[in-house]
Amino acid sequence: MTTSSNAGTGGSDATDGTTHARPGTDVVCLGETMVTFMPAGPGRLADVTTFERGIGGAESNVACALARTGHRARWISRVGTDGFGDHIRDAVAACGVDVTHVQRDPDRPTGVYFRTAGERATGTETGAGEAEVAYYRAGSAASAMAPGLLDDHALRDTRVIHLSGITAALSDSCLDVLRTLTAPTPGRPLVSFDVNYRVGLWRDRTVRGPGLLLDLARRCDLVFVGEDEAAAAWDLHGPGAVRDALPEPAVLVVKQGADGATAYARQADGSDTVTTAPALAVDVVAPVGAGDAFAAGFLSATLRDLPVFERIRHGHLMAAASLTVPGDLGTPPSRGLADRLARLDPADWGRLRLGPGWTTHGDAPDNPSSDTDSHGVHNPRVEVRTP
């Protein structure tokens, strides 16, 4: 494992990945958010009779997590003028996200979907009933996003634009939005892209989908992709193979599930610094939203110019906050607690086990002599395992 404190995030105007302070927001996230209906109990969608309402959207999940950790976040999208659109806009705003540029469409509905416990389907699942999702988003307000409908100043007045491959699958006009925002124009903000391959969204364009996602990723500065996604979409196996296929982004993060994540950060001389950080032991409640939370944690640490190794660890910690709750949005750890855990030595990190409630029942006090465990963490939900 190699770490580097000077590896940056990747920028369109600097090969060392330096981000440049800009007025306005820290991060703008653009993409569709839907009302999600989650089963009140286990079982197939065919058998479940009671659902709990929430919201789900990769980009708004990132915006909410960032806002709740003290960053200025803006979410841009379109929703219907229906009650579901009201609910989504209010729920995202309640997290502290700027929603003033969310458009309302009187002619198209807000998208909804029903799901079981699985987060996504890449086409490689073997378990019966795994990742069962039913989308009702065709013709939604968000699918009508187009370059000419968006406020260019609201998109450019930021340090980072965060996008997802999900948006590219919604419609040709949505794909045009991503192509516009990822175009290599002078002075553009850092562009972050989560591949987010969802095989169900590309059924009508199965052959085109993976290629489109690869082309978009090559135009971005910071790219997140799951090892399983890369295998399913591009038949690429292992972080090295993914980097070979995606040499353009200044930073590439390959998420490896329970094994951790590997980041490739390009240096000024064109070489890569390769950084690997193991994941945490987590008592998983539901896997939904973990990938979005990881991206938020990595972006948060990027905005604070932390070393790449700590950026990955912050991603793991934010993912753990999502994994230990039933919905998409977990309560992020306080910045003090996250910083303290992210700086643990490898042995102590390996002994941690995080369970439900770990972010809401603990703190990271400034006084090291206070009633804390050996890691400075006072939290009964954080278990330090004995070797």
Side-chain angles (χ1 to χ4, degrees):
M1 176 179 66
T2 305
T3 63
S4 172
S5 61
N6 64 355
T9 63
S12 59
D13 53 358
T15 57
D16 65 354
T18 303
T19 56
H20 301 286
R22 299 174 187 270
T25 62
D26 293 323
V27 179
V28 167
C29 302
L30 178 145
E32 181 175 32
T33 293
M34 297 179 289
V35 170
T36 175
F37 291 94
M38 300 166 286
R44 304 178 306 149
L45 288 181
D47 302 325
V48 174
T49 59
T50 305
F51 294 83
E52 297 176 355
R53 185 185 67 173
I55 66 170
E59 300 83 6
S60 63
N61 287 347
V62 172
C64 288
L66 286 168
R68 294 173 76 179
T69 52
H71 297 286
R72 298 168 299 162
R74 174 181 297 148
W75 173 57
I76 295 179
S77 189
R78 306 183 83 246
V79 296
T81 54
D82 46 39
F84 286 154
D86 294 339
H87 172 62
I88 288 174
R89 193 175 185 275
D90 292 346
V92 175
C95 292
V97 176
D98 174 8
V99 297
T100 56
H101 296 275
V102 174
Q103 299 175 349
R104 308 301 298 268
D105 190 326
D107 300 318
R108 296 176 178 86
T110 303
V112 301
Y113 75 103
F114 296 77
R115 66 166 173 80
T116 52
E119 179 189 13
R120 68 184 182 206
T122 63
T124 61
E125 294 76 14
T126 57
E130 190 173 351
E132 189 180 3
V133 182
Y135 292 107
Y136 297 89
R137 71 198 312 175
S140 69
S143 71
M145 283 189 293
L149 295 177
L150 301 176
D151 185 331
D152 185 67
H153 176 72
L155 284 162
R156 303 288 177 172
D157 186 29
T158 183
R159 295 175 64 187
V160 177
I161 296 176
H162 180 70
L163 307 169
S164 160
I166 292 174
T167 304
L170 300 182
S171 67
D172 287 341
S173 65
C174 284
L175 176 59
D176 287 342
V177 169
L178 264 62
R179 283 174 168 158
T180 299
L181 295 178
T182 60
T185 55
R188 77 175 189 188
L190 183 148
V191 178
S192 166
F193 182 69
D194 193 338
V195 172
N196 259 325
Y197 178 59
R198 302 289 189 269
V199 66
L201 295 179
W202 292 101
R203 286 198 179 106
D204 294 336
R205 294 187 281 177
T206 303
V207 176
R208 292 180 59 206
L212 290 173
L213 292 176
L214 190 63
D215 289 343
L216 288 169
R218 286 172 170 159
R219 295 154 63 100
C220 299
D221 306 305
L222 168 60
V223 172
F224 301 95
V225 63
E227 194 172 31
D228 59 339
E229 295 175 294
W234 305 319
D235 196 25
L236 298 174
H237 302 276
V242 180
R243 184 51 161 174
D244 289 342
L246 278 170
E248 295 87 355
V251 174
L252 170 69
V253 182
V254 182
K255 298 173 290 181
Q256 299 165 273
D259 292 331
T262 298
Y264 295 83
R266 190 172 61 242
Q267 303 303 295
D269 63 1
S271 65
D272 273 340
T273 295
V274 183
T275 306
T276 298
L280 288 154
V282 178
D283 295 326
V284 177
V285 173
V288 292
D292 306 328
F294 180 94
F298 193 97
L299 284 169
S300 174
T302 295
L303 288 163
R304 297 167 58 203
D305 201 28
L306 298 183
V308 172
F309 183 67
E310 291 185 25
R311 298 179 197 186
I312 300 175
R313 278 194 167 183
H314 275 275
H316 289 324
L317 289 164
M318 196 77 83
S322 176
L323 289 167
T324 49
V325 297
D328 284 48
L329 295 174
T331 299
S334 68
R335 186 170 290 185
L337 175 58
D339 283 346
R340 199 175 293 261
L341 292 176
R343 292 169 184 158
L344 291 176
D345 64 47
D348 287 339
W349 176 269
R351 285 195 290 267
L352 285 179
R353 186 178 190 92
L354 304 181
W358 74 273
T359 64
T360 57
H361 292 80
D363 55 26
D366 294 328
N367 179 6
S369 64
S370 62
D371 183 20
T372 64
D373 63 22
S374 62
H375 307 301
V377 179
H378 176 68
N379 189 341
R381 303 307 205 279
V382 178
E383 174 190 347
V384 181
R385 297 179 294 171
T386 302

